[in-house]
Amino acid sequence: MAMTNFSELGLQEKIVWARDLWAQARNLSFVMNFSGKGSNAMIQRITELTKSEKGAKAIITLVADLEGDGVMGDSTLENNEEAIKAFDTEIKIDQLRNANRLRGRMADQKSVINFRNTSKDVLAYWLADRIDQLGFLTLSGVGYDYTTNGTLRPVNPAGQNFTDLDFASDVTAPTANRYYRWDSTVGTTGALVTAATNAVIAADLPSYEMLVQAKAVAKEKYIRGIKGPNGVEYYHVFMTPSGMAKLKLDSSYRSAVENAGQRGDSNPLFTGAVATVDGLIIHEYRHVFSSTTWGASSNVSGQAVLFCGAQALGLADLGLPEWKEETFDYGNQHGIAMGKICGFKKPKFTSIYEATATAEDFGVLRIDTAI
């Protein structure tokens, strides 16, 4: 039995389409704006596997600062060298796949080329959107059984849920010294306190004072900023659109923005920024995690503000998407499928600057506020 492919592509043509889809997906993805291959990127992007005794893995390496004080004067340095401590974090990988399929020739009179273009567009947007959701859930320490607006995802048959991804089990809640709640009732301006979503009240809105305190905490916790133009360190701050709207109503924030000068907005570091204030690049995005069930009575709307430095997230991005075209029912039906191998992990690190030996999130603070 022979079957004819409705639009048989050669290998090079498939590679071109796969590259085109991935380029489009990366342009559409908000998360990808903050990825880079070096340790100065907020999201460190791993594109090659590292061979180990247990097979090939995607690895992100975190290097600790030296702890010793060296030698003084003419004291002997030989045999007193200090070893460099490096910690490898494995990023598990898995495949995301989706496809489109036409009902048949009579159901769709459009040309095959139009179907392919339309399919590429919708699959590219789907891939970009799902990468963004996975990235923000991982950074926020929220399991993949939730959507980014705080509702539970539908439970589908096995293999059709985000929770079935191999790296889903590596999502971890924010660590103790990287997780705070903004409490507007402390003092005259509010303060960062121990996080507890059931303690959030409607008045705990984001403010400029919150941003200032969060930056101080990041500095004190040795969360490394991202080097920008002229060697200046920056942090990326992410809020929901509703949270950003509340921040814009804060008088101290408005004053700070009005008096802040332009700081190299043509640099890719500032892509999509709402404002840049005091070394903070502030963004609003719909996939920042939010909920309508916080507070003592589960009726307060809130957001998980993310305050990110360098290497806040690891992304395994392996190869081009797989692009596959098939025909069914003697060529009467046409289908296009794509798959992408990737993985996310929030790195943890045992810092020499912490009073505890417990591993902490390496490059991100989560701050819960009302919206």
Side-chain angles (χ1 to χ4, degrees):
M1 179 179 67
M3 297 184 68
T4 302
N5 194 328
F6 74 98
S7 55
E8 189 170 355
L9 294 177
L11 177 60
Q12 293 303 315
E13 292 176 294
K14 290 182 178 179
I15 291 175
V16 169
W17 274 86
R19 287 186 188 277
D20 196 15
L21 181 143
W22 187 222
Q24 189 171 6
R26 290 190 62 196
N27 288 335
L28 291 170
S29 172
F30 187 72
V31 159
M32 285 296 184
N33 289 326
F34 309 98
S35 67
K37 291 188 176 181
S39 60
N40 190 49
M42 186 195 108
I43 301 175
Q44 186 164 353
R45 185 167 157 252
I46 310 300
T47 58
E48 296 179 356
L49 294 178
T50 300
K51 292 183 179 179
S52 69
E53 293 180 357
K54 296 182 180 180
K57 301 177 180 179
I59 301 291
I60 182 171
T61 301
L62 305 176
V63 180
D65 291 339
L66 298 178
E67 298 181 51
D69 293 327
V71 300
M72 314 302 151
D74 289 331
S75 298
T76 302
L77 180 58
E78 189 174 350
N79 296 323
N80 288 307
E81 298 88 352
E82 183 173 352
I84 296 175
K85 294 181 180 179
F87 301 84
D88 286 342
T89 298
E90 176 189 347
I91 306 176
K92 294 178 183 176
I93 57 176
D94 209 336
Q95 183 174 212
L96 282 172
R97 293 199 301 162
N98 207 343
N100 303 130
R101 181 168 168 176
L102 286 176
R103 183 178 298 175
R105 287 196 187 98
M106 294 305 297
D108 193 316
Q109 294 300 309
K110 295 181 180 179
S111 70
V112 169
I113 295 298
N114 282 341
F115 169 60
R116 186 188 292 152
N117 283 329
T118 301
S119 183
K120 183 190 72 173
D121 288 343
V122 297
L123 288 174
Y125 180 80
W126 171 85
L127 179 60
D129 184 72
R130 294 318 185 269
I131 285 175
D132 286 349
Q133 291 187 44
L134 291 170
F136 275 98
L137 288 171
T138 305
L139 276 169
S140 302
V142 177
Y144 292 166
D145 50 339
Y146 281 89
T147 67
T148 53
N149 64 11
T151 60
L152 284 169
R153 294 181 183 274
V155 179
N156 298 312
Q160 299 180 33
N161 305 281
F162 274 173
T163 51
D164 296 321
L165 290 165
D166 280 351
F167 51 90
S169 59
D170 288 337
V171 176
T172 56
T175 53
N177 293 309
R178 301 293 186 268
Y179 191 17
Y180 298 92
R181 174 175 62 84
W182 180 245
D183 189 341
S184 62
T185 66
V186 177
T188 57
T189 60
L192 295 176
V193 299
T194 302
T197 56
N198 61 0
V200 175
I201 62 174
D204 295 338
L205 299 173
S207 66
Y208 183 62
E209 285 77 9
M210 180 203 74
L211 296 175
V212 171
Q213 291 188 34
K215 182 180 178 182
V217 169
K219 292 284 189 180
E220 290 168 354
K221 299 294 184 182
Y222 284 81
I223 294 178
R224 183 166 54 89
I226 300 160
K227 292 290 185 182
N230 303 316
V232 177
E233 264 195 359
Y234 292 90
Y235 295 92
H236 287 291
V237 181
F238 300 94
M239 297 187 186
T240 65
S242 294
M244 193 66 221
K246 292 297 191 294
L247 179 63
K248 289 177 180 178
L249 296 176
D250 178 66
S251 58
S252 296
Y253 172 78
R254 290 201 307 269
S255 177
V257 171
E258 289 169 0
N259 295 320
Q262 295 295 318
R263 299 186 180 183
D265 289 350
S266 61
N267 190 288
L269 184 66
F270 303 94
T271 300
V274 174
T276 305
V277 184
D278 192 27
L280 306 178
I281 308 172
I282 305 170
H283 309 266
E284 64 176 23
Y285 191 53
R286 64 183 179 276
H287 282 318
V288 172
F289 184 75
S290 63
S291 176
T292 59
T293 60
W294 288 356
S297 300
S298 300
N299 60 355
V300 176
S301 294
Q303 64 174 349
V305 177
L306 296 176
F307 197 101
C308 300
Q311 293 179 291
L313 185 65
L315 165 63
D317 173 13
L318 304 178
L320 295 171
E322 177 74 16
W323 178 274
K324 185 69 174 178
E325 302 192 17
E326 295 284 359
T327 59
F328 310 91
D329 189 23
Y330 296 93
N332 185 57
Q333 295 181 338
H334 315 305
I336 294 178
M338 61 77 59
K340 181 73 182 78
I341 297 176
C342 62
F344 282 104
K345 190 165 186 178
K346 181 176 54 171
K348 291 185 179 181
F349 189 72
T350 304
S351 173
I352 64 175
Y353 305 108
E354 296 284 354
T356 175
T358 303
E360 299 281 352
D361 292 339
F362 181 73
V364 58
L365 297 176
R366 172 174 159 176
I367 303 168
D368 291 343
T369 79
I371 52 176

